[in-house]
């Protein structure tokens, strides 16, 4: 058994398909299938059972998974140790997941700052309105709007951020004044699709005294563009406001919500120096960027 075969095994276990593993490893799915067959033949045990949902680990596959992940961790630590050697430059590829508001409006500026100091580092931003799986290595680390309460994870608070009720200046001129929360009942509201809210911290309506939204999306960017198009008013991240001309806060003295970003890593990555250093740089830059954008709002 060699490490390359274990890499293929891990990719199939995490993506639950030959095609998914092939995309991840950038090799042909047929080659992935042959490599898995060779590994099973060498071990004398079936590692996967094919089902309508894809490739599921067998009992033997599950037992091998723990050892393969330990080997992956050892290889990562070894490479990290060799590449360090006193070099302060971060290198290679790091993939970070984040809710789409953070991914669209905060992380690009953060990565631009980091790239100036670490030009050989490639940061991949995966924007998804959902939670990520670190055990399946979908990402190396991710930003969350609430701290996970289970799993073998490293969690640290990055920074607080704020949200406000907002609308386009021209929309607000053409519609009835909003001087109290009661006035919101005479306006259309933009918000999340209720059954697609993946984190309780994203459920803002009750806090602003509303029961439901009239126009909805699971995406912060789409909601922002709905408000920009004049469909109504809605809760907007303060760090988004500088990106939209002539969008202004509504009831600024009454409605201002506070949330926080958290950085989440797999506990096994605690000793990976490169990820630890990146996490430190990322958190510091995110704090500075969020603070700067909120000052501009």
């Amino acid at each position: 058994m060699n490490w390359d075969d274990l890499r293929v095994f891990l990719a199939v276990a995490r993506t639950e398909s030959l095609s998914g593993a092939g995309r991840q490893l950038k090799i042909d799915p047929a080659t992935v299938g042959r490599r898995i067959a060779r590994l099973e033949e060498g071990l004398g045990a079936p590692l996967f059972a094919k089902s309508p949902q894809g490739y599921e680990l067998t009992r033997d596959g599950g037992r091998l998974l723990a050892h393969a992940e330990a080997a992956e961790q050892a290889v990562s630590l070894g490479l990290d140790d060799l590449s360090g050697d006193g070099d302060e430059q971060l290198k290679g590829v790091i993939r970070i997941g984040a809710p789409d508001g953070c991914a669209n409006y905060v992380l690009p500026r953060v990565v631009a700052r980091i790239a100036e100091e670490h030009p050989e580092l490639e940061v991949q931003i995966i924007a998804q309105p959902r939670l990520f799986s670190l055990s399946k290595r979908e990402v190396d680390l991710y930003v969350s709007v609430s701290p996970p309460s289970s799993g073998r994870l490293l969690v640290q608070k990055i920074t607080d951020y704020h949200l406000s009720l907002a609308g386009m200046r021209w929309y607000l001129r053409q519609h009835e004044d909003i001087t109290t929360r009661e006035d919101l009942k005479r306006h259309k509201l933009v918000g999340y699709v209720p059954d697609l809210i993946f984190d309780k911290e994203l459920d803002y309506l009750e806090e602003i005294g509303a029961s439901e939204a009239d126009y909805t999306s699971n995406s912060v960017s789409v909601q922002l563009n709905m408000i920009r198009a004049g469909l109504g008013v809605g809760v907007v991240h303060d760090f988004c406001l500088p990106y939209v001309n002539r969008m202004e806060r509504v009831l600024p003295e009454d409605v201002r919500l506070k949330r926080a970003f958290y950085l989440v890593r797999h506990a096994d990555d605690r000793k990976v120096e490169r990820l630890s250093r990146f996490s430190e740089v990322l958190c510091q830059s995110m704090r500075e960027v969020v603070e700067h954008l909120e000052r501009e709002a």
Side-chain angles (χ1 to χ4, degrees):
M1 185 189 307
N2 59 49
W3 166 238
D4 212 31
D5 286 340
L6 286 180
R7 283 180 64 243
V8 175
F9 167 75
L10 283 169
V12 176
R14 289 164 177 167
T15 63
E16 299 180 343
S17 73
L18 299 184
S19 57
R23 284 193 298 271
Q24 187 179 98
L25 299 172
K26 297 181 180 178
I27 59 178
D28 185 81
T31 302
V32 175
R34 289 193 295 270
R35 297 282 288 280
I36 291 298
R38 183 177 72 183
L39 183 59
E40 290 178 326
E41 183 179 354
L43 293 173
L47 302 176
F48 295 97
K50 190 171 183 181
S51 73
Q53 288 72 42
Y55 279 68
E56 296 182 359
L57 286 168
T58 62
R59 180 172 176 275
D60 288 322
R63 291 169 59 195
L64 179 61
L65 180 63
H67 297 291
E69 289 182 333
E72 179 184 50
Q73 177 72 2
V75 170
S76 179
L77 287 171
L79 292 174
D80 189 58
D81 184 53
L82 288 172
S83 64
D85 198 26
D87 187 359
E88 293 300 317
Q89 288 289 313
L90 291 168
K91 302 176 182 178
V93 179
I94 292 179
R95 177 176 289 186
I96 177 170
D100 72 323
C102 175
N104 277 286
Y105 301 100
V106 175
L107 287 183
R109 292 196 181 201
V110 169
V111 172
R113 289 182 173 211
I114 295 174
E116 289 183 4
E117 299 295 325
H118 305 278
E120 295 184 60
L121 178 68
E122 178 188 342
V123 180
Q124 299 176 346
I125 302 173
I126 310 301
Q128 292 280 6
R130 64 174 178 82
L131 298 178
F132 294 87
S133 172
L134 291 174
S135 62
K136 292 185 177 181
R137 299 297 176 179
E138 292 179 332
V139 292
D140 295 302
L141 36 77
Y142 67 87
V143 176
S144 173
V145 293
S146 63
S149 58
S150 61
R152 297 182 60 252
L153 303 170
L154 301 175
V155 183
Q156 66 185 100
K157 183 177 177 179
I158 303 172
T159 187
D160 289 326
Y161 65 94
H162 298 86
L163 305 101
S164 301
L165 192 64
M168 296 303 294
R169 196 172 301 157
W170 61 266
Y171 168 89
L172 296 172
R173 284 200 306 266
Q174 294 175 12
H175 293 77
E176 293 186 55
D177 290 344
I178 304 175
T179 57
T180 68
R181 295 193 185 202
E182 187 69 19
D183 294 333
L184 291 175
K185 294 179 180 178
R186 294 190 291 274
H187 289 260
K188 299 293 187 181
L189 289 179
V190 173
Y192 279 98
V193 180
D195 59 343
L196 295 181
I197 296 176
F198 66 92
D199 192 299
K200 60 181 176 57
E201 296 295 333
L202 303 179
D203 194 356
Y204 311 128
L205 291 183
E206 186 176 347
E207 288 185 63
I208 67 172
S211 58
E212 61 181 6
D214 301 280
Y215 299 102
T216 59
S217 172
N218 67 327
S219 164
V220 166
S221 298
V222 174
Q223 290 176 39
L224 193 68
N225 282 315
M226 285 177 167
I227 298 170
R228 177 186 281 169
L231 288 176
V233 298
V235 174
V236 174
H237 297 76
D238 282 9
F239 58 68
C240 290
L241 290 174
Y243 289 91
V244 185
N245 292 328
R246 295 179 292 281
M247 179 177 284
E248 61 182 49
R249 293 188 178 97
V250 177
L251 302 176
E253 302 301 321
D254 187 23
V255 179
R256 195 159 192 248
L257 314 181
K258 184 168 80 170
R259 296 292 191 269
F261 286 132
Y262 297 86
L263 186 64
V264 185
R265 298 167 55 194
H266 198 287
D268 289 343
D269 293 337
R270 186 189 303 273
K271 296 180 180 179
V272 180
E273 176 66 19
R274 189 172 70 107
L275 286 180
S276 295
R277 287 172 56 206
F278 176 77
S279 298
E280 182 179 343
V281 172
L282 177 77
C283 289
Q284 179 61 33
S285 294
M286 280 190 65
R287 284 191 287 269
E288 294 172 357
V289 167
V290 169
E291 182 181 355
H292 176 74
L293 288 171
E294 290 197 351
R295 279 202 310 267
E296 285 187 357

